[in-house]
Amino acid sequence: MRTKGAIGIFDSGIGGLTVAREIANLMPNERLVYLGDTARLPYGSKSSSTVIKYALRNVGFLAKTPLKAIVVACNTVSSVALPALREMVDIPVLGVIGPGARTAVQASRSGIIGVIGQPGTIKSGRYESAILQLNSDAKVYSTTTPLLVPLAEEGWLNTEVSKLVLKSYLEPLVSRGIDTLVLGCTHYPLFKPEVEALCKDEFQRDVALVDSAVSISRELKGMLERDGLLNPHPAPVHRFYATDDVDTFKRVGQAFWGQDFPQVLHVDL
Ligand code: DGL
């Protein structure tokens, strides 16, 4: 029965665990199979053809398990690889860009929206085009914020350094008058409290933060509900795979997943 199939999720590494965590919280009966391609991260600085190649390999691996949907947690992959991935499998493949853009357009009163992300995501212009498709009057200002990924992985949250980095990155966007900011990378939800405080106390601006992990989880739930595919019985023995060292995955991933990992297996792809 398809309701029993798992939800496949993949990312370049551990960042996508922020998406997995939201899905697990919102749909506690669902079983997740998560793949972190830690051997090849970061994806954000690589060319789109390389990212597509890696993404196809990841989906090929996940598709060996009976799945009801595949969630592309990685913003970089979602920006460039969805058409190729959708051709590869005959189950729904959801990316984070569309859900994040829809939430941003709903949240913004002025239509002036900021987007931050890894270089590949920003270079693709995908968030911008998705937002403009929904509101052609919107103004979108985007910037790359690559230092946030290592800061999050090193656990340097709420430090003098993270505050300084966030302030330098966000000041130019806030000065353009954004009232909404899309956190266009798997790692950024960890900075939400800091960004909120910065906007309120330092910039004295009310800026709505869009967490694509939350947006995609809601859309996935809506889709599974509509298709009668939500699992009525609890079955959450999640499985995690990493293409590099599993102990590092567990140690660094803890802050992203927010709880202990049941089991992490190594896979060579
Ligand atoms: N997962 C990536 C993203 O959301 C961030 C890390 C990387 O560059 O691989 O864009």
Side-chain angles (χ1 to χ4, degrees), residues 11-13 15-16 40-45 73-77 117-118 121 149 153 184-187:
D11 179 49
S12 54
R40 292 174 191 84
L41 70 79
Y43 282 11
S45 53
C74 181
N75 287 253
T76 309
V77 176
Q118 285 283 72
T121 303
V149 167
E153 294 194 4
C185 171
T186 47
H187 292 55

Side-chain angles (χ1 to χ4, degrees), residues 11 21 81 96 154 156 199 204:
D11 179 49
R21 183 180 61 188
V96 281
E154 291 296 319
W156 282 36
C199 290
Q204 314 217 319

Side-chain angles (χ1 to χ4, degrees), residues 84-245:
L85 300 179
R86 285 176 177 151
E87 264 189 35
M88 188 179 177
V89 287
D90 57 5
I91 51 171
V93 179
L94 284 78
V96 281
I97 308 289
R102 284 187 274 283
T103 307
V105 169
Q106 277 161 14
S108 178
R109 290 172 311 263
S110 65
I112 309 176
I113 297 171
V115 180
I116 54 174
Q118 285 283 72
T121 303
I122 299 304
K123 207 168 112 205
S124 77
R126 279 282 179 238
Y127 269 115
E128 184 167 356
S129 55
I131 290 168
L132 290 174
Q133 217 164 26
L134 296 163
N135 174 8
S136 54
D137 294 329
K139 291 220 164 0
V140 184
Y141 298 105
S142 308
T143 191
T144 60
T145 53
L147 290 177
L148 298 181
V149 167
L151 281 176
E153 294 194 4
E154 291 296 319
W156 282 36
L157 307 168
N158 265 309
T159 59
E160 288 305 310
V161 176
S162 60
K163 284 196 179 72
L164 205 64
V165 169
L166 284 167
K167 191 173 166 210
S168 322
Y169 277 148
L170 297 182
E171 206 152 37
L173 293 180
V174 173
S175 70
R176 304 264 197 164
I178 60 162
D179 72 353
T180 301
L181 177 68
V182 179
L183 306 174
C185 171
T186 47
H187 292 55
Y188 302 171
L190 269 63
F191 293 100
K192 257 199 277 188
E194 262 177 281
V195 175
E196 266 160 13
L198 186 69
C199 290
K200 207 161 130 252
D201 305 334
E202 188 89 25
F203 301 139
Q204 314 217 319
R205 294 292 297 273
D206 198 9
V207 179
L209 301 185
V210 175
D211 178 347
S212 304
V214 174
S215 311
I216 196 171
S217 305
R218 288 194 190 129
E219 291 200 9
L220 174 67
K221 186 174 183 199
M223 186 195 80
L224 295 178
E225 232 157 26
R226 259 193 326 274
D227 295 347
L229 288 180
L230 278 176
N231 194 346
H233 308 293
V237 185
H238 306 313
R239 192 169 298 166
F240 297 85
Y241 293 94
T243 54
D244 198 12
D245 179 53

